């Protein structure tokens, strides 16, 4: 399965000669890792997606600074990092978040993971199929409806602690399944 | 769960406090492997988010099963919730001028447009199914049907305008509101028409089924306004002006005042209460609301808050131990309602059906059915108490995939009768989940499309003593050792039991068998092995284990 629901080839025809031909394709490849990197610095899908959009905007404006002979992802993560710092500064959270060293290590970790993201996504999709059908319901409430444990608990007439435990177990099962699937592929 | 895992999960669920944030930072600084672990889990978290988003926006793989199944098991989806947030047009408008980045920012952009497409398609389908005559502009609704009234000034097709009142003492009248609401009235009732989307119920019972176009349709009562958010709901206004409000499908909002004075010229603060499917409350003049724990009947029949206590009533009381601070869920008693294709749960459209190759259990056919929320399967330490007007037999229909809990094993006898559930899909789920092949239309009739087998357990109560039903799993159920067999996650992910009640007619029916050998639960195995050990060492096992041995 492609990482992008629409084939990138159909989308990336440059309309301006000043835009490097590979830039959109590189963005598509890197987008998921950039989002996850932002998601490791800012909690919540809403904020992370907003900052991804801001990163895309900044990347577009600074496109002329990108050197196509160098890897794209570290350059884009650098922009994302600046966008997140600006977000922290605006929201007054800069004293209550990870320090520069951790942020650098996280950027490196996501660079390392990026080579495998497509495979992880494919394996994860099949792992989800193997979950007990009703377990999927909890995943849907968390990941599709974007409900937090307390809200899920209200929907399911149970406690938020129970929901946290269920989510933890589902994540653990999925992670084990993905690791197993990647090993089997290898 | 290690402390680091706990902190990472709290981060993923947006629940990390500042002290926890400092702890997580310390863990990450301490060991680079912790950074990699955190990054892996966050990556998986966002891939899960992406997977669900894309699944939710796949094109329809099959026609949406509108109205499939029996009349009481309408498989029509509830209104879809609006997209979580609108696409940020401002930023993208700037980028659209370059047209290079905007298109590859693929799955984020699908939000909004894809949902709207599938949504619109669903509702076009519904609109085609229920054509409503277009009324003149000043007219609000028209009379669609009248039953149970010999002489009335109303006639089918009659148009009703703003300011008019419809008053009947008996019988039923169905109205079609021009904005897309079907309203059923049961006499005695007094309804005043205010605007195309608002009516005042002065007295009596109303059940409304509202289309997407009618979202926001409001029924005003003396102490509260009931506002549709995409649903089927009921309102019953008593002589004192109290309103009993039931969410039969989807969601509604109730607006009332904290001083109980009513919304017209309100002096107190306006409070808002959301109700979801399977929840019911009473709003009175006290400025608060109370749970209505039992509804007799359903949206497709006449219904009443509480048990009607007629001469044929078998159940006289139904209560539970759910705290008043929890969600105001209700239990539905359907007199004579257990049959082939009967709806199984309040919050799922699933139906009861005989399993292929077996006949429908005749002892249960036409008996009173207690319809519960399937989500009660998550409730631990649940106690539901039933009291009866006469000797009764209680049948519990219990998911065969789940080890029977102690209250069931000890208080009931497993019969050789079985029944199946034909599963549909929960209201509000997406077309993508439909495409997964797990969600499907309901079948009709015996043995058709059955997904899950339920064992039927019975208990005879010749002395009409109260019967207490419990949770799906024992509170002491052991922790997970095998994800597929005995994990609480797996067990609680299955389905809630159903309850059928019949008058006790003497000797057990001939099909009832002696207690059948049961699947050994891990707790049984543990107590047996400890009992053997104790007996070998000359000791007697504790009394609470004896029933297990």
């Amino acid at each position: 399965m492609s990482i992008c629901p629409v084939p990138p080839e159909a989308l990336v025809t440059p309309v301006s000669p000043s835009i490097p031909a590979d830039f959109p394709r590189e963005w598509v490849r890197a987008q998921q890792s950039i989002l996850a990197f932002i998601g490791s610095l800012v909690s919540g899908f809403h904020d992370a997606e907003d900052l991804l959009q801001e990163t895309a905007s900044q990347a577009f404006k600074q496109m002329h600074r990108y050197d196509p002979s160098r890897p794209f992802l570290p350059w884009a993560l650098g922009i994302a990092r600046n966008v997140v710092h600006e977000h922290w500064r605006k929201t007054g959270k800069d004293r209550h978040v990870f320090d520069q060293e951790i942020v650098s290590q996280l950027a490196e970790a996501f660079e390392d993971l990026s080579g495998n993201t497509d495979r992880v996504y494919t394996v994860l999709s099949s792992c989800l199929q193997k979950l007990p059908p009703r377990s999927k319901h909890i995943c849907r409430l968390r990941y599709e409806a974007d409900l937090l444990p307390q809200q899920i608990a209200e929907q399911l007439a149970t406690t938020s602690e129970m929901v946290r435990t269920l989510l933890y177990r589902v994540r653990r099962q999925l992670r084990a399944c993905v690791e197993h699937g990647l090993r089997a592929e290898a | 769960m290690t402390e680091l895992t706990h902190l990472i999960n709290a981060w993923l669920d947006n629940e990390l406090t500042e002290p926890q944030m400092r702890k997580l930072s310390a863990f990450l600084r301490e060991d680079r492997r912790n950074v990699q672990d955190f990054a892996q889990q966050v990556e998986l978290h966002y891939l899960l988010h992406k997977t669900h988003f894309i699944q939710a926006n796949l094109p329809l793989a099959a026609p949406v099963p509108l109205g499939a199944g029996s009349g009481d098991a309408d498989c029509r989806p509830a209104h879809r919730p609006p997209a979580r947030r609108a696409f940020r047009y401002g930023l993208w408008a700037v980028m659209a001028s370059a047209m290079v980045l905007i298109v590859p920012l693929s799955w984020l952009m699908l939000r909004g447009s894809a949902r709207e497409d599938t949504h619109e398609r669903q509702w076009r389908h519904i609109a085609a199914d229920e054509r409503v005559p277009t009324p003149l502009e000043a007219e609000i609704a028209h009379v669609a049907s009248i039953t149970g009234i010999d002489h009335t000034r109303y006639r089918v097709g009659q148009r009703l305008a703003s300011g008019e009142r419809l008053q009947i003492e008996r019988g039923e009248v169905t109205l079609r509101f021009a904005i897309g609401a079907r309203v059923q009235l049961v006499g005695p009732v007094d309804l005043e028409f205010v605007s195309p989307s608002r009516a005042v119920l002065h007295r009596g019972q109303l059940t409304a089924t509202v289309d997407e176009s009618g979202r926001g349709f409001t029924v005003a009562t003396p102490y509260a306004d009931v506002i549709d958010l995409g649903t089927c709901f009921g309102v019953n206004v008593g002589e004192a002006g109290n309103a009993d409000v039931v969410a039969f499908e989807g969601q509604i909002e109730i607006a009332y005042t904290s001083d109980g004075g009513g919304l017209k010229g309100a002096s107190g603060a306006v409070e808002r209460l959301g109700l979801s499917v399977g929840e019911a409350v009473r709003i009175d003049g006290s400025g608060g609301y109370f749970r209505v724990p039992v509804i007799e009947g359903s949206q497709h029949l006449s219904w009443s808050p509480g048990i009607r206590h007629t001469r044929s009533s078998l159940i006289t009381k139904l209560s539970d131990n759910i705290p008043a601070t929890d969600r105001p869920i209700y239990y539905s008693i359907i007199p004579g309602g257990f049959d082939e294709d009967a709806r199984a749960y309040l919050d799922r459209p699933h139906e009861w059906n005989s399993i292929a190759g077996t006949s429908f259990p005749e002892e249960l056919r036409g008996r009173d059915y207690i319809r519960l929320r399937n989500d009660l399967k998550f409730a631990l330490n649940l106690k539901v108490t039933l009291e009866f007007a006469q000797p009764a037999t209680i049948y519990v229909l219990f998911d065969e995939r789940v080890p029977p809990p102690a209250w069931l094993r000890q208080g009931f006898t497993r019969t050789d009768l079985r029944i199946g559930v034909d599963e549909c899909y929960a209201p509000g789920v997406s077309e993508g989940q439909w495409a997964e092949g797990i969600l499907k239309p309901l079948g009709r009739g015996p043995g058709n499309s059955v997904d899950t087998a339920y064992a039927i357990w019975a208990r005879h109560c010749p002395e009409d003593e109260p019967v207490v039903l419990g949770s799906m799993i024992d509170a002491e159920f052991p922790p997970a050792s095998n994800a597929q067999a005995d994990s609480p996650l797996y067990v609680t992910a299955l389905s809630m039991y159903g309850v059928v009640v019949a008058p006790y007619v003497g000797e057990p029916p001939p099909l009832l068998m002696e207690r059948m050998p049961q699947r050994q639960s891990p707790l049984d195995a543990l107590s047996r092995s400890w009992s053997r050990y104790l007996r070998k060492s000359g000791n007697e096992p504790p009394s609470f284990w004896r029933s297990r041995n």
Side-chain angles (χ1 to χ4, degrees), chain A residues 4 31 102 157 164 173 184:
Chain A
C4 173
Q31 176 179 280
I102 296 175
R164 284 186 197 101
Q173 283 177 13

Side-chain angles (χ1 to χ4, degrees), chain A residues 3 24 27 31 39 43 46 49-50 60 99 108 117 134 136 140 142-144 146 164 171 175, chain B residues 9 11-13 15 29 32 37 40 43 45 49-50 84-85 98 100 103 105 423 433 438 493:
Chain A
I3 192 166
W27 178 270
Q31 176 179 280
S43 193
H46 273 228
E49 286 169 1
D50 285 348
F60 174 68
D99 60 31
E108 286 170 27
T117 304
R134 302 311 178 283
K136 291 181 181 174
R140 283 173 198 139
R142 178 68 189 97
Y143 290 102
E144 188 183 314
D146 194 9
R164 284 186 197 101
R171 286 173 186 145
R175 197 174 174 199
Chain B
N9 275 274
W11 171 269
L12 300 180
D13 291 328
E15 292 184 323
R29 207 173 297 115
R32 208 180 171 100
D37 189 21
Q40 272 182 0
E43 186 191 46
H45 182 64
H49 181 49
K50 174 182 170 179
R84 182 165 55 81
R85 65 197 172 99
V100 177
V103 181
L105 294 178
E423 297 188 358
Q433 290 149 9
I438 295 162

Side-chain angles (χ1 to χ4, degrees), chain B residues 40-264:
Chain B
Q40 272 182 0
Q41 296 205 42
V42 173
E43 186 191 46
L44 204 64
H45 182 64
Y46 276 86
L47 285 173
L48 273 168
H49 181 49
K50 174 182 170 179
T51 305
H52 282 84
F53 174 77
I54 289 175
Q55 286 290 328
N57 289 285
L58 287 175
L60 285 173
V64 178
L66 301 173
S70 70
D72 201 18
D74 191 350
C75 203
R76 186 173 107 177
H79 300 332
R80 295 281 305 279
R84 182 165 55 81
R85 65 197 172 99
F87 179 62
R88 304 299 165 93
Y89 292 101
L91 170 64
W92 295 114
V94 174
M95 297 186 68
S97 60
M99 238 355 262
V100 177
L101 270 181
I102 185 166
V103 181
L105 294 178
S106 47
W107 67 272
L108 272 179
M109 292 181 57
L110 276 173
R111 188 184 306 282
S113 62
R115 288 191 176 192
E116 281 155 19
D117 281 355
T118 50
H119 189 75
E120 197 181 316
R121 239 178 300 167
Q122 281 181 8
W123 291 101
R124 265 210 307 274
H125 197 145
I126 288 166
D129 197 37
E130 294 187 14
R131 292 190 185 282
V132 180
T134 311
L136 297 176
E137 201 171 313
E139 292 162 352
I140 289 175
H142 72 273
V143 177
S145 70
I146 301 174
T147 53
I149 314 174
D150 292 335
H151 304 288
T152 173
R153 62 192 177 96
Y154 305 105
R155 56 181 171 73
V156 173
Q158 181 173 341
R159 299 183 185 283
L160 301 156
S162 176
E164 277 192 75
R165 280 172 93 143
L166 187 147
Q167 294 168 315
I168 54 169
E169 284 307 312
R170 68 185 70 80
E172 290 182 17
V173 171
T174 303
L175 306 174
R176 294 258 187 210
F177 277 70
I179 60 160
R182 189 172 74 92
V183 169
Q184 193 175 359
L185 302 166
V186 179
V189 73
D190 180 357
L191 185 73
E192 180 183 350
F193 302 90
V194 178
S195 74
S197 60
R198 186 178 177 86
V200 181
L201 184 63
H202 295 280
R203 179 175 70 124
Q205 188 180 106
L206 169 158
T207 308
T209 307
V210 187
D211 287 351
E212 173 72 353
S213 58
R215 181 187 284 264
F217 178 73
T218 300
V219 176
T221 73
Y223 297 120
D225 280 6
V226 183
I227 304 147
D228 164 77
L229 299 178
T231 192
C232 172
F233 66 93
V235 185
N236 191 83
V237 175
E239 291 298 331
N242 301 339
D244 295 311
V245 185
V246 191
F248 289 118
E249 303 284 356
Q251 293 182 322
I252 51 178
E253 183 178 86
I254 303 172
Y256 63 99
T257 56
S258 56
D259 64 358
L263 290 164
K264 201 172 178 179

